[in-house]
Amino acid sequence: MTERTPTEAARDIPEATVARLPVYLRALTSLAESGTPTCSSEELASAAGVNSAKLRKDLSYLGSYGTRGVGYDVEYLRYQIAREIGVTHDWPVVIVGIGNLGHALANFSGFRSRGFRVVALLDADPGRHSEQVAGIDVRPFRDLATIVAEQGVAIGVISTPAHAAQDVADAMVAAGITSILNFAPQVLSVPEGVDVRKVDLSIELQILAYHQQRKASAVEGAVLHAPGDAGGADDLDGRLEAPA
Amino acid sequence: MTERTPTEAARDIPEATVARLPVYLRALTSLAESGTPTCSSEELASAAGVNSAKLRKDLSYLGSYGTRGVGYDVEYLRYQIAREIGVTHDWPVVIVGIGNLGHALANFSGFRSRGFRVVALLDADPGRHSEQVAGIDVRPFRDLATIVAEQGVAIGVISTPAHAAQDVADAMVAAGITSILNFAPQVLSVPEGVDVRKVDLSIELQILAYHQQRKASAVEGAVLHAPGDAGGADDLDGRLEAPA
DNA sequence: TAGATTGTTAATCGATTAACAATC
DNA sequence: TAGATTGTTAATCGATTAACAATC
């Protein structure tokens, strides 16, 4: 079942490109706010932190929205990308798990400005149901299905502890949610047709640590920035490879 | 200057593999905690949410840590991966920007258990310097260089508003930090040799929205989960492509 | 027209995957 | 030895990049 309707098949945008469209959108919004009416692929690429060949290739999947010899109309291109992503209208979103991270997410102002609207905050802990966060009442987790149905919610955010995440995901899927953003450090299993993206703080830090370790061991002999306590030049064995 | 020392050149692990090692590490930790002494590539792959061919290929870059016909010793492989990533020792980390997100990050328990230790919380706002967050004093941003030098900090986390992020990054680089995790929705420019990874909530949501939109338009005619207010069947034009 | 810049081509590079020989 | 499972090969797939023809 990889078949799609003809209308869709016409535009098969590579995943890597899809992941960059929001970056271009932000760069264009920023250019528009600073009053720039047009820009070249070179300028936009630089604002987005990619090279211009990649940018032009990416945009070519959407259509021909530039003018040769001139560049792109910032406002026009911004709208075309927003439309392609699907953020010309707000998406209603629910957040489940209103701990520290849930608080931060609920207060995140970038939601509203970038195509999303938090319609409900849910938590299984009755102790939190008296609270208001970012002006929104925290409601019981069991209200999920009702809220999803009433508000037409398609996107759910999970910011619970790891051990609760799969149950929350199951409930979301049962309620009709088909896109999940998961902040819990837990691999989720969901039926086909449901998209899950994960944001994982400690994974990102570990990727940095890997590269950092290589930088440190490149300066062999002079051990700079050794991890561990300031006093600890001990215990370094095992981190550096044995000399040949 | 792509030359490396001979010791390093021996092990050139693809970036995609590096990004998955922390996932394997977590799966192994979880298996170890549940008392599982050994596992096959099939079992570990399933726990990590990848297919077993990819897992074995990934592990082959580290060495031969399994036993044919038997599988992997969970504890042994866990240690080998931790060593490869560089998290057999804690890395001291500073967090700059103690707003809602900074609070959540400071309180994040996964830091300690996964190879990181928050040694300082910094904020430019004097109003926050009286606070304690997660048992750590919030200190003035200008103390950055001193703290980095004293504690041997190599990794910095930016959780400021977008407009402050570049200045913070510049100060981090000047202080000697060479790995940055950026939560601010802002493209950072840093000198060569400094690694930046970004975590961007609204980008992740927009990627989900893109796919969600396609799912919705696949059910043409019956418009389910239309974004926008519950009452709004208006304003749908522009989101669906014109029929052929 | 001359200069500038897009959109596209084609080559290269890196990642994924299935299959299976090696070997416990 | 027979069965199981790794580590590796090779084919395929997708992403990146430079170069340039098209064209404003």
Side-chain angles (χ1 to χ4, degrees), chain A residues 4-230:
Chain A
R4 294 291 164 92
T5 63
T7 334
E8 287 185 293
R11 296 261 182 93
D12 208 359
I13 302 183
E15 204 41 48
T17 297
V18 170
R20 283 188 294 266
L21 291 181
V23 180
Y24 303 151
L25 183 59
R26 172 174 298 153
L28 286 163
T29 302
S30 167
L31 285 170
E33 280 169 1
S34 72
T36 313
T38 63
C39 67
S40 67
S41 64
E42 201 66 59
E43 290 165 326
L44 180 54
S46 150
V50 302
N51 75 48
S52 66
K54 192 186 278 180
L55 170 76
R56 289 199 301 278
K57 181 78 171 152
D58 283 340
L59 294 185
S60 76
Y61 292 110
L62 312 194
S64 283
Y65 296 132
T67 308
R68 290 168 201 238
V70 178
Y72 301 92
D73 181 285
V74 168
E75 194 47 56
Y76 180 64
L77 183 58
R78 195 202 61 74
Y79 177 76
Q80 293 303 333
I81 293 179
R83 189 172 59 80
E84 191 70 41
I85 298 176
V87 290
T88 47
H89 302 72
D90 276 358
W91 292 84
V93 166
V94 294
I95 301 176
V96 178
I98 314 301
N100 280 304
L101 180 60
H103 267 84
L105 296 176
N107 280 294
F108 178 57
S109 58
F111 268 127
R112 241 4 249 267
S113 57
R114 293 193 182 83
F116 304 94
R117 187 164 43 92
V118 178
V119 297
L121 306 176
L122 305 180
D123 202 293
D125 178 4
R128 291 205 171 111
H129 299 158
S130 47
E131 283 182 60
Q132 261 214 353
V133 176
I136 304 168
D137 287 318
V138 178
R139 298 175 59 179
F141 175 56
R142 70 181 129 74
D143 292 359
L144 179 67
T146 312
I147 292 166
V148 167
E150 281 176 357
Q151 310 265 346
V153 175
I155 301 177
V157 175
I158 301 179
S159 46
T160 62
H163 64 82
Q166 183 63 60
D167 284 349
V168 172
D170 291 346
M172 283 183 169
V173 170
I177 284 177
T178 44
S179 295
I180 295 174
L181 183 57
N182 179 31
F183 284 88
Q186 169 73 235
V187 174
L188 297 181
S189 91
V190 295
E192 214 175 329
V194 176
D195 277 326
V196 175
R197 294 191 65 87
K198 69 161 191 268
V199 172
D200 194 313
L201 172 59
S202 64
I203 285 181
E204 297 300 326
L205 279 175
Q206 286 178 36
I207 296 169
L208 283 175
Y210 171 83
H211 293 293
Q212 183 63 38
Q213 182 189 34
R214 300 210 128 198
K215 286 179 212 163
S217 64
V219 192
E220 247 148 313
V223 180
L224 300 169
H225 293 314
D229 309 44

Side-chain angles (χ1 to χ4, degrees), chain B residues 2-72:
Chain B
T2 37
E3 288 293 308
R4 292 293 163 92
T5 64
T7 334
E8 286 184 293
R11 297 260 183 89
D12 210 0
I13 302 183
E15 203 42 47
T17 297
V18 170
R20 283 187 294 265
L21 291 181
V23 181
Y24 303 151
L25 183 58
R26 172 174 298 154
L28 286 163
T29 301
S30 168
L31 285 171
E33 281 169 359
S34 74
T36 313
T38 62
C39 67
S40 67
S41 63
E42 201 66 60
E43 290 164 328
L44 180 53
S46 151
V50 303
N51 74 48
S52 67
K54 192 187 276 181
L55 170 75
R56 289 199 303 278
K57 180 79 172 152
D58 283 342
L59 294 185
S60 76
Y61 293 111
L62 314 194
S64 281
Y65 296 132
T67 308
R68 289 168 203 240
V70 178
Y72 302 92

